[in-house]
């Protein structure tokens, strides 16, 4: 099979005993190298797990390949069965994993499904299975590719492989070859190849903001910098492709560009679980925080699980690379303590006990002291400026952005950016709307305010509303959620919203994020929870289109009101931003009519 991932639901004619089977093309939750993983359908019996291991070992012996690194991760709804494999054996390894599990739970011989024919089940004995799997392994193996990969490692160089090409080195120090035109080892210009400064950024909230700030700092250092995020691919601050590129494809694309001198790479939970980590030997990895989100997928059911996934980024660090963590996140404190890498801690207050102790031991920290952001790095203190004067903090009110800036500043120092360049960026970043689009953008219309943000989980929404809500002023809110959240998580988002007592809530769908839910299904769950928590029916409205929903809130608004618009679809966000800008140019004020969705000055 050549599909990237093969959920059982795609093959209704055959009841697979697993939910998902996929390749892991980089370091991952289970290994610091490539491999494959299978998600079982339901809880696995101990005997079946033992037989699975025996089957994997049998294939390895029969085929003359080593599959001796296996991991069984049991969880609330099943088990993840992982096998480490070489990068030129991953497709065959998925077939081995599927057969080993199917056989282990009794689907063998007459009932077995050959990997080369989905939905077709002729007699397939154990002997035939072993011969077939060995043939698949040998058919996929590429000695020339493996030699290049092995030589790159011996030269201390990163190598990136996908279905079409292999590259050695990074950015201006890289070369890329199609798999059909691999060079001889002697033709590779080894002395010209090298890695580039790069940072990996993950977390539950604040990833994209941190990536953008860190990228601006790298550019200020004079590097031609690329960054990837949920908003697209950027080189030199200019977008070269829009869309969600927070996974392996985005990272590989930028690391192969011959004009790139530094890279800042957003790495989301989904990409880490589906494909693993792409960057290798990074100078720094930043984890902003851990908060409830995306539970129920790939065996991730609680915050400890999620913390382990996010901290997978540590496996992409160079031996002396710095892992930058939020000292105010107890999950990161607890799980980070077990990791072998040097840690840099950031927090809101420099007097935080963990930061104080870390500085005394010579460690790196960043936090505020007496209203000024202080960086302690390599034994020296640096004053980065007044926190309240940094545009992203909104005069110091947006404390979560203060935390984002602290983490980014510490990561920039580890990347090699001079402290004076870091301070320069902190003093100006956020003055222009183009600096951080879709994140805590603010428009003022007379005595009314409108905030637009990406806030997509309870923690993010709560922090946004803490900044925006004002005592004695009506609050209007746009509310929606992606369809791949569990019902309890959708209700938790509504509970956070209800806690701020909004006067108007317009419930929406997230186009492109339905993920199996019917139109209006998420909005119905949100509305039910809001009513349960005391919101009147008259305060609720359902409008599934994001742009129209935002427009209805603008029509509802009156003088002095505060509107909060979490908009998630990038096209919808762009349309809403254009609308808000045009309203501002037209000197619109809440309470006046909209004409063609743009207020005309009276």
């Amino acid at each position: 099979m050549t599909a990237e991932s093969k959920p059982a639901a795609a093959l209704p004619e055959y009841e697979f005993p697993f939910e998902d089977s996929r390749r892991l093309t980089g370091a991952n939750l289970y290994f610091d190298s490539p491999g494959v993983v299978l998600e079982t359908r339901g809880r696995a019996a101990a005997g079946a797990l033992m037989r699975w291991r025996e089957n994997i070992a049998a294939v390895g012996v029969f085929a003359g390949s080593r599959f001796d690194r296996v991991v069984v991760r049991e969880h609330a709804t099943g088990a993840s069965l992982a096998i480490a494999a070489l990068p030129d054996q991953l497709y065959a390894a998925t077939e081995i994993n599927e057969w080993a599990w199917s056989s282990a739970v009794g689907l063998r011989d007459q009932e077995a499904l050959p990997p080369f024919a989905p939905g077709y089940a002729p007699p397939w004995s154990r002997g035939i299975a072993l011969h077939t799997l060995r043939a698949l392994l040998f058919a996929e193996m590429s000695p020339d590719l493996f030699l290049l990969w092995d030589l790159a490692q011996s030269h201390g160089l990163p190598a990136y492989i996908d279905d079409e090409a292999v590259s050695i080195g990074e950015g201006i120090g890289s070369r890329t070859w199609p798999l059909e035109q691999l060079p001889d080892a002697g033709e590779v210009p080894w002395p010209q190849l090298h890695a580039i400064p790069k940072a990996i950024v993950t977390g539950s909230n604040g990833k994209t903001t941190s990536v953008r700030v860190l990228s601006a700092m790298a550019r200020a250092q004079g590097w031609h910098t690329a960054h990837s995020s949920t908003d697209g691919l950027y080189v030199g601050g200019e977008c070269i492709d829009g869309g969600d590129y927070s996974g392996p494809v985005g990272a590989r694309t930028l690391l192969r560009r011959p004009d790139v001198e530094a890279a800042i790479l957003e790495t989301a939970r989904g990409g880490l679980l589906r494909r693993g980590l792409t960057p290798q030997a990074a100078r720094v990895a930043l984890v902003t925080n851990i908060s409830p989100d995306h539970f129920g997928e790939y065996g991730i059911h609680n915050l400890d699980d999620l913390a382990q996934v996010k901290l997978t980024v540590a496996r992409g660090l160079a031996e002396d690379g710095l892992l930058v963590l939020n000292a105010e996140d107890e999950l990161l404190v607890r799980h980070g303590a077990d990791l072998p890498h040097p840690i840099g801690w950031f927090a809101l207050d420099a007097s935080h006990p963990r930061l104080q102790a870390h500085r005394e031991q010579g460690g790196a920290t960043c936090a505020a002291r007496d209203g000024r952001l202080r960086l302690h790095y390599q034994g020296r203190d640096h004053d980065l400026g007044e926190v309240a004067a940094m545009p992203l903090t909104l005069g110091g009110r947006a404390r979560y952005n203060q935390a984002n800036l602290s983490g980014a500043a510490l990561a920039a120092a580890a990347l090699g950016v001079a402290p004076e360049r870091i301070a320069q960026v902190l003093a100006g970043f956020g003055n222009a709307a183009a600096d951080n689009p879709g994140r805590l953008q603010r428009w003022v219309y007379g005595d009314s305010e409108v905030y637009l943000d990406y806030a997509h989980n309870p923690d993010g929404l709560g922090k946004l509303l803490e900044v925006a809500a004002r005592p004695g002023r009506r609050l209007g809110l746009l509310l929606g959620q992606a369809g791949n959240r569990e019902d309890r998580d959708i209700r938790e988002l509504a509970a956070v919203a209800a806690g701020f007592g909004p006067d108007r809530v317009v419930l929406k769908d997230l186009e492109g994020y339905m993920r199996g839910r019917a139109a209006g299904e998420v909005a119905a769950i949100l509305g039910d929870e809001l009513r349960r928590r005391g919101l009147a029916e008259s305060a609720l409205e359902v409008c599934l289109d994001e742009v129209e929903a935002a427009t209805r809130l603008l029509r509802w608004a009156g003088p002095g009101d505060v509107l909060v618009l979490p908009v998630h679809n990038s096209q919808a966000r762009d349309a809403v931003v254009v609308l808000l800008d045009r309203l501002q140019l037209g000197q619109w004020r809440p309470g006046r009519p909209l004409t063609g969705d743009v207020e005309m000055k009276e």
Side-chain angles (χ1 to χ4, degrees):
M1 298 181 190
T2 57
E4 285 293 300
S5 186
K6 301 173 293 180
L11 299 170
E13 67 273 76
Y14 186 87
E15 183 63 24
F16 279 91
F18 54 87
E19 297 285 353
D20 183 83
S21 177
R22 60 193 186 276
R23 299 174 301 141
L24 301 170
T25 55
N28 50 78
L29 181 61
Y30 315 100
F31 312 107
D32 58 2
S33 61
V36 299
V37 65
L38 178 150
E39 308 292 345
T40 69
R41 187 189 296 277
R43 299 301 296 271
L49 293 173
M50 181 181 68
R51 291 192 296 273
W52 171 77
R53 291 178 181 272
E54 292 171 350
N55 287 337
I56 297 297
V59 174
V61 170
F62 190 78
S65 294
R66 295 183 63 185
F67 294 107
D68 51 358
R69 287 198 297 156
V70 299
V71 169
V72 174
R73 179 180 174 273
E74 296 188 73
H75 50 78
T77 56
S80 302
L81 310 181
I83 312 170
L86 295 174
D88 64 340
Q89 298 179 354
L90 295 182
Y91 281 114
T94 62
E95 306 294 358
I96 291 167
N97 206 6
E98 292 168 19
W99 170 79
W101 181 243
S102 298
S103 177
V105 296
L107 295 176
R108 59 184 183 271
D109 298 331
Q110 297 296 322
E111 297 176 308
L113 181 72
F116 52 81
Y120 175 62
W124 203 36
S125 69
R126 185 177 183 84
I128 292 175
L130 291 174
H131 279 88
T132 302
L133 294 170
R134 182 174 66 177
L136 289 172
L137 270 173
F138 279 98
E140 188 181 356
M141 284 181 185
S142 172
D144 292 340
L145 177 62
F146 178 77
L147 176 61
L148 286 176
W149 181 73
D150 193 47
L151 286 172
Q153 289 190 316
S154 68
H155 281 81
L157 293 170
Y160 301 105
I161 301 170
D162 59 23
D163 290 343
E164 298 178 352
V166 58
S167 57
I168 301 176
E170 294 169 340
I172 59 172
S174 71
R175 295 291 186 278
T176 302
W177 298 270
L179 294 185
E180 297 80 11
Q181 301 174 24
L182 295 177
D184 292 332
E187 297 174 341
V188 177
W190 297 106
Q192 300 174 29
L193 304 182
H194 58 81
I196 59 174
K198 57 188 174 295
I200 309 168
V201 180
T202 194
S204 295
N205 296 305
K207 295 186 297 295
T208 300
T209 294
S210 299
V211 163
R212 290 168 174 168
V213 174
L214 191 47
S215 182
M217 292 172 176
R219 293 197 303 273
Q221 184 67 19
W223 296 327
H224 192 58
T225 303
H227 75 263
S228 61
S229 73
T230 53
D231 271 353
L233 298 178
Y234 292 76
V235 177
E238 299 296 325
C239 182
I240 62 169
D241 197 1
D244 187 346
Y245 280 100
S246 59
V249 172
R252 278 197 304 270
T253 300
L254 296 182
L255 291 173
R256 286 174 171 171
R257 285 184 61 100
D259 58 340
V260 169
E261 298 175 307
I264 316 299
L265 306 167
E266 181 173 336
T267 306
R269 169 212 59 89
L272 287 170
L273 286 168
R274 281 191 293 271
R275 287 287 169 263
L277 183 66
T278 295
Q280 303 165 21
R283 290 188 184 178
V284 62
L286 166 63
V287 186
T288 59
N289 49 49
I290 306 293
S291 65
D293 200 8
H294 291 288
F295 290 153
E297 291 187 316
Y298 302 119
I300 305 305
H301 295 285
N302 55 52
L303 286 169
D304 285 301
D305 292 344
L306 190 58
Q308 291 173 4
V309 173
K310 299 288 188 183
L311 286 168
T312 299
V313 296
R315 290 182 161 167
L317 283 170
E319 287 187 9
D320 60 348
L322 187 70
L323 179 61
V324 176
L325 301 179
N326 186 342
E328 297 181 90
D329 191 306
E330 288 304 316
L331 284 158
L332 291 177
V333 170
R334 175 154 38 94
H335 290 278
D338 298 329
L339 298 174
H341 298 280
I343 293 179
W345 294 104
F346 69 93
L348 292 175
D349 192 336
S351 65
H352 189 289
R354 182 165 296 276
L355 270 65
Q356 286 184 321
H358 199 57
R359 285 193 297 271
E360 290 171 1
Q361 296 170 4
T365 68
C366 190
R369 181 188 299 121
D370 299 325
R372 304 186 70 81
L373 197 62
R374 310 288 302 198
L375 169 69
H376 184 85
Y377 188 71
Q378 294 182 337
R380 297 184 61 187
D381 280 300
H382 304 275
D383 185 343
L384 300 181
E386 183 184 359
V387 171
M390 297 173 183
L392 278 191
T393 71
L394 292 185
R397 289 192 292 119
R399 290 170 65 81
Y400 65 90
N401 263 350
Q402 178 187 330
N404 290 333
L405 295 179
S406 297
L410 189 49
L415 200 63
V417 180
E420 57 269 25
R421 300 295 178 223
I422 297 173
Q424 171 191 337
V425 171
L426 293 174
F429 191 91
N431 276 328
D435 287 343
N436 201 27
R439 269 68 176 179
L440 198 60
Q441 287 184 269
R442 177 173 173 262
W443 288 259
V444 177
Y445 304 99
D447 57 355
S448 298
E449 297 172 286
V450 176
Y451 292 84
L452 186 144
D453 197 274
Y454 187 75
H456 65 288
N457 56 36
D459 183 59
L461 180 64
K463 289 176 177 175
L464 172 62
L465 290 172
E466 285 175 4
V467 171
R470 299 282 192 280
R473 299 174 69 174
R474 291 198 312 169
L475 174 65
L477 175 64
L478 190 63
L479 193 63
Q481 181 58 289
N484 63 340
R485 271 55 166 193
E486 295 181 347
D487 286 6
R488 65 176 181 179
D489 300 319
I490 296 172
R491 289 185 179 277
E492 177 60 23
L493 188 74
V496 169
F500 287 83
D503 299 275
R504 186 74 165 182
V505 179
V506 179
L507 302 169
K508 61 170 183 173
D509 272 348
L510 274 60
E511 185 177 351
Y513 297 86
M514 301 298 289
R515 293 164 180 168
R517 298 270 189 176
E521 183 179 348
V522 171
I525 297 171
L526 291 168
D528 181 68
E529 188 64 24
L530 289 169
R531 295 182 195 93
R532 207 173 68 81
R533 292 183 177 268
L535 260 71
E537 186 67 40
S538 59
L540 301 177
E541 182 179 3
V542 176
C543 179
L544 300 183
D545 179 80
E546 281 197 287
V547 177
E548 176 59 25
T551 303
R552 291 192 187 186
L553 263 184
L554 290 164
R555 292 191 182 113
W556 167 84
D561 289 351
V562 176
L563 303 185
V564 176
L565 310 177
V567 180
H568 303 89
N569 178 278
S570 59
Q571 291 182 330
R573 184 197 69 199
D574 292 345
V576 172
V577 167
V578 168
L579 170 59
L580 294 172
D581 285 345
R582 293 174 66 188
L583 289 173
Q584 197 164 57
L585 286 173
Q587 300 183 30
W588 172 79
R589 295 294 182 266
R592 296 178 182 176
L594 297 177
T595 303
D597 291 338
V598 179
E599 174 61 20
M600 305 302 294
K601 182 179 178 181
E602 293 181 358

